[in-house]
């Protein structure tokens, strides 16, 4: 996913480097808003995947600590999961 972000950034830098007098490639500057939106979405998805990984590691950590301390964490999970959203 990071390579996709890098491609979007490289393409944006290339398009920004096109001089205004270059009539053959100036039409490419119309892609900049689309590239900005794509970069924003890629950054958000990367952030969400990192948060999901951290929360998954936290759940595993809590499960192991609960087992180590002989705390029945199943009751807390059952209490939280039966409620309708």
């Amino acid at each position: 996913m990071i390579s996709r972000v890098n491609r979007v950034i490289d393409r944006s830098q290339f398009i920004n480097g096109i001089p205004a007098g270059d009539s053959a490639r100036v039409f490419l500057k119309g892609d900049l808003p689309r590239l900005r939106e794509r970069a924003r979405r890629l950054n958000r998805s990367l952030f969400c995947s990192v948060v999901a990984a951290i929360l998954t590691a936290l759940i595993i950590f809590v499960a192991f600590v609960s087992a180590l301390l002989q705390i029945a964490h199943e009751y807390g999970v059952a209490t939280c999961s039966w409620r309708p959203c």
Side-chain angles (χ1 to χ4, degrees), residues 55-76:
L55 291 176
T56 302
L58 182 65
I59 290 171
I60 293 170
F61 176 76
V62 168
F64 277 106
V65 169
S66 297
L68 179 68
L69 299 177
Q70 297 178 352
I71 299 172
H73 66 282
E74 294 88 5
Y75 298 115

Side-chain angles (χ1 to χ4, degrees), residues 4-81:
R4 290 182 185 192
V5 173
N6 286 337
R7 277 196 319 221
V8 169
I9 291 171
D10 289 342
R11 178 112 172 119
S12 296
Q13 288 175 346
F14 171 76
I15 290 174
N16 281 327
I18 295 173
D22 189 359
S23 61
R25 296 186 298 174
V26 77
F27 70 94
L28 293 174
K29 290 193 182 238
D31 281 345
L32 285 176
R34 184 183 59 85
L35 288 172
R36 282 190 196 106
E37 179 65 21
R38 187 173 176 195
R40 187 187 67 79
R41 289 183 184 201
L42 283 168
N43 283 333
R44 182 169 293 220
S45 65
L46 188 61
F47 174 77
C48 288
S49 64
V50 168
V51 168
I54 290 171
L55 291 176
T56 302
L58 182 65
I59 290 171
I60 293 170
F61 176 76
V62 168
F64 277 106
V65 169
S66 297
L68 179 68
L69 299 177
Q70 297 178 352
I71 299 172
H73 66 282
E74 294 88 5
Y75 298 115
V77 172
T79 304
C80 292
S81 64

